[in-house]
Amino acid sequence: CFAEHRLWSAVLLRNGDEIKTPYSKPTVRGWFPEAILNDLTSCIGEELVSTVAKTVVECGFDGAPDLVLYAPGSLWLVEVKSATDQMKPSQRKMLTALSSIPGVVCNVCCPSSALKRIAATMQFEDSGDETP
């Protein structure tokens, strides 16, 4: 699902955590149906959902990945960049923090024309794969 900070704000509000947001609680609740939040939690577990949401808060919400993809036991967070887009420092900080969580895989998706420019701003472990 398309997430950014909205998904994690909705998760925190659903869990009863106080969040600082310029949006009203009804607005935050309206971003994602309860069924999606329940599905995410049942699919990957309450502990992982809570850990990711708290990490997003610790990073200040700014830079939260654009997409959240999940399947039973798996969570992928994807930052999407256009051919002319840049990785912001807040996005690098967020991806670094999130990728350190066991069970979370973070990726950057961009056109091949932007790959070298965006990769130059990131640090990747050498996995033998040429694409980050």
Side-chain angles (χ1 to χ4, degrees):
C1 60
F2 182 71
E4 294 183 318
H5 69 88
R6 291 173 182 86
L7 175 65
W8 307 111
S9 297
V11 163
L12 290 163
L13 187 61
R14 174 185 163 266
N15 291 349
D17 295 321
E18 284 300 315
I19 57 170
K20 292 180 182 179
T21 177
Y23 306 101
S24 69
K25 288 182 181 181
T27 297
V28 174
R29 285 188 183 101
W31 286 335
F32 291 91
E34 189 77 18
I36 289 177
L37 302 177
N38 291 339
D39 185 58
L40 174 68
T41 300
S42 67
C43 218
I44 64 170
E46 186 71 46
E47 185 177 335
L48 183 56
V49 169
S50 180
T51 299
V52 171
K54 288 176 181 177
T55 301
V56 170
V57 170
E58 289 169 6
C59 290
F61 286 101
D62 191 30
D66 297 318
L67 303 176
V68 172
L69 307 158
Y70 61 94
S74 300
L75 179 63
W76 297 276
L77 305 174
V78 182
E79 180 62 35
V80 179
K81 293 293 172 195
S82 72
T84 59
D85 224 347
Q86 300 283 339
M87 286 295 293
K88 297 175 188 168
S90 60
Q91 292 169 322
R92 290 191 303 269
K93 175 184 173 186
M94 182 74 72
L95 289 178
T96 299
L98 292 170
S99 65
S100 71
I101 300 170
V104 175
V105 174
C106 295
N107 293 104
V108 177
C109 179
C110 66
S112 58
S113 61
L115 185 60
K116 284 186 179 185
R117 180 176 42 77
I118 290 175
T121 66
M122 304 292 293
Q123 291 182 348
F124 297 99
E125 289 183 21
D126 186 6
S127 63
D129 188 356
E130 292 184 16
T131 59

